[in-house]
Amino acid sequence: MLLLTTTRDALLAPLQSVAGIVEKRHTLPILSNVLIEKHGDQLTMLATDIEIQIRTITGGHIGGEDASITVGARKLQDILRALPDSGDISLTLDDKRLTVKAGRSRFQLQTLPAADYPRMNLPDSDAARLTISQRAFKRQLAQVSYSMAQQDIRYYLNGLLIIADGGELRMVATDGHRLAYAAADLDAPVAARTEAILPRKTVLELARQLADSDDPLEILLAGNQAVFRFGPIELVTKLIDGKFPDYERVIPQAHPKLVTFNRQPLLASLQRAAILTNEKFRGVRMVLEDGILKIVSTNAEQEEAQDELEIDYQGDKLDIGFNVTYLLDVLNNLSSDTVDWRFNDGNSSALITLPGNDKFKYVVMPMRI
């Protein structure tokens, strides 16, 4: 039974959109598969890991009968990648086997019944609806997502908090050692304040999939689920159930020492100092003196790196230590030419912001070196 005839890229592009969430090993074999549904000239592909579900619909596929099957996502993706991008590809279903033909190449894949494939239910009509451009949301994710925890026992830190309040969307992530906050304007204000904690895997998938364009992203938040719709893609995710820390209490309000740095020279200086940091603790000392910033690192082999930058600073000497990875993360994910750093003393957190912009804040705790 012929399912369809189409080009390689017309199959590969939607498959790559959904296959990113498929785990290599699953206790349920069917979760390693992608659900393929053919109706008329439309092709729907859906993948899930029970926590996240991604669906994409494409059109323009020629001929064939309507059918629904599931087949190994990674195997089909590897086959399509290996085929030449010219010429047509046909999919044929016979006796629970899917045959992929392209030129003189032929592959037979085992299928599992579509009726057994698990699907996540969509939220009901009471969901809070938000609309924002894909570019704005993607930029926000880049500004905060690196601060998420990984496999922290405080499970609510292994994700990212989003808050829709009035006409603003806020994002916050923290691992207990640093905190990143970013805000952006929604296309239209929301009726009521809504909060949700997105799982880490969902955040990384959205960052990978969203386009750097002004095309709209529609977000639905309801109960323990969120839905993201953009282009031909619909992503449904479970939310993390927990109480996120009060981020506003963490952000310093009145640090007296302000230094404005050129971002690229500071980033380069920290990268040089990071070469000789202790591999486990990654600590660097930042020594502020009149007109000079010294960045110093040492390691267990008694090796030392020192770098100096000229800065516009007049005040008391300050010697403060940081995990250099936390500093490199924030500087690598900002695009502005300059950044403002506010300090209090060697035992207090530092606040990094953008000049003339209150929509981004980054708090990093000091470390003893």
Side-chain angles (χ1 to χ4, degrees):
M1 179 178 72
L2 177 66
L3 287 181
L4 58 89
T5 302
T6 188
T7 62
R8 186 198 74 154
D9 289 347
L11 277 180
L12 183 57
L15 180 59
Q16 288 177 323
S17 295
V18 302
I21 63 168
V22 176
E23 302 287 354
K24 290 184 179 178
R25 292 182 180 84
H26 259 299
T27 51
L28 290 174
I30 201 166
L31 290 179
S32 296
N33 286 10
V34 59
L35 173 65
I36 300 176
E37 296 179 312
K38 165 78 167 29
H39 295 290
D41 70 344
Q42 277 199 340
L43 190 71
T44 300
M45 291 192 183
L46 184 147
T48 183
D49 67 355
I50 301 299
E51 301 293 323
I52 308 174
Q53 172 181 292
I54 302 180
R55 182 184 69 164
T56 182
I57 301 175
T58 55
H61 304 284
I62 302 171
E65 300 182 37
D66 292 354
S68 298
I69 59 165
T70 80
V71 66
R74 303 280 174 152
K75 290 177 183 176
L76 181 58
Q77 184 173 254
D78 289 345
I79 288 169
L80 293 175
R81 281 175 172 165
L83 292 173
D85 56 9
S86 59
D88 288 340
I89 292 175
S90 67
L91 300 186
T92 308
L93 182 63
D94 289 300
D95 192 26
K96 297 183 180 179
R97 285 181 176 269
L98 179 70
T99 301
V100 182
K101 289 183 181 178
R104 296 187 177 184
S105 300
R106 180 170 170 269
F107 304 86
Q108 284 193 325
L109 295 171
Q110 190 67 43
T111 67
L112 290 171
D116 296 342
Y117 201 79
R119 296 171 181 248
M120 296 173 66
N121 295 322
L122 296 179
D124 57 32
S125 58
D126 292 335
R129 293 176 181 269
L130 330 172
T131 307
I132 189 171
S133 74
Q134 292 188 46
R135 176 183 286 117
F137 195 88
K138 187 182 180 81
R139 184 179 299 149
Q140 262 189 290
L141 289 179
Q143 289 180 334
V144 302
S145 59
Y146 52 84
S147 292
M148 292 185 295
Q150 297 187 51
Q151 299 179 325
D152 196 294
I153 192 171
R154 297 163 294 180
Y155 57 93
Y156 48 83
L157 297 186
N158 301 319
L160 184 146
L161 174 68
I162 62 172
I163 304 168
D165 190 7
E168 191 172 63
L169 180 68
R170 303 174 199 137
M171 293 186 188
V172 186
T174 180
D175 60 7
H177 303 286
R178 34 101 178 256
L179 178 146
Y181 163 97
D185 294 330
L186 291 167
D187 290 352
V190 293
R193 177 185 168 107
T194 307
E195 295 187 13
I197 305 176
L198 303 178
R200 179 183 182 85
K201 186 174 180 180
T202 299
V203 172
L204 298 179
E205 191 63 25
L206 286 169
R208 183 178 77 89
Q209 298 253 21
L210 288 169
D212 189 17
S213 73
D214 291 326
D215 293 340
L217 165 66
E218 183 186 17
I219 307 169
L220 279 65
L221 303 174
N224 68 340
Q225 281 187 324
V227 182
F228 297 85
R229 293 188 179 123
F230 50 100
I233 296 172
E234 177 187 77
L235 186 152
V236 186
T237 178
K238 291 183 179 178
L239 299 173
I240 295 176
D241 184 21
K243 180 63 176 173
F244 204 83
D246 183 357
Y247 68 90
E248 291 179 329
R249 291 182 55 190
V250 176
I251 298 173
Q253 300 299 323
H255 278 4
K257 298 180 175 67
L258 169 63
V259 184
T260 299
F261 293 104
N262 290 317
R263 184 178 65 88
Q264 280 295 347
L266 178 61
L267 175 60
S269 182
L270 287 168
Q271 287 171 332
R272 290 190 289 269
I275 296 170
L276 294 185
T277 55
N278 184 301
E279 289 186 7
K280 185 176 181 181
F281 299 110
R282 302 281 288 164
V284 297
R285 286 172 50 221
M286 298 181 69
V287 184
L288 284 168
E289 299 176 335
D290 287 349
I292 292 289
L293 169 69
K294 292 180 184 177
I295 301 175
V296 183
S297 65
T298 57
N299 59 29
E301 287 77 39
Q302 306 300 313
E303 297 168 328
E304 180 179 282
Q306 181 171 311
D307 217 271
E308 289 190 4
L309 291 174
E310 291 186 7
I311 58 172
D312 182 15
Y313 174 75
Q314 303 294 324
D316 297 337
K317 180 179 177 179
L318 176 66
D319 191 333
I320 187 169
F322 293 107
N323 182 320
V324 72
T325 302
Y326 298 163
L327 305 183
L328 295 175
D329 280 346
V330 64
L331 294 174
N332 274 317
N333 284 284
L334 295 176
S335 56
S336 64
D337 293 332
T338 57
V339 291
D340 285 346
W341 283 42
R342 288 176 171 82
F343 301 93
N344 184 23
D345 56 41
N347 299 314
S348 301
S349 60
L351 174 65
I352 299 174
T353 57
L354 302 178
N357 183 345
D358 64 353
K359 290 186 179 292
F360 173 80
K361 294 168 185 172
Y362 183 75
V363 182
V364 57
M365 299 297 294
M367 66 182 295
R368 293 182 182 276
I369 300 176

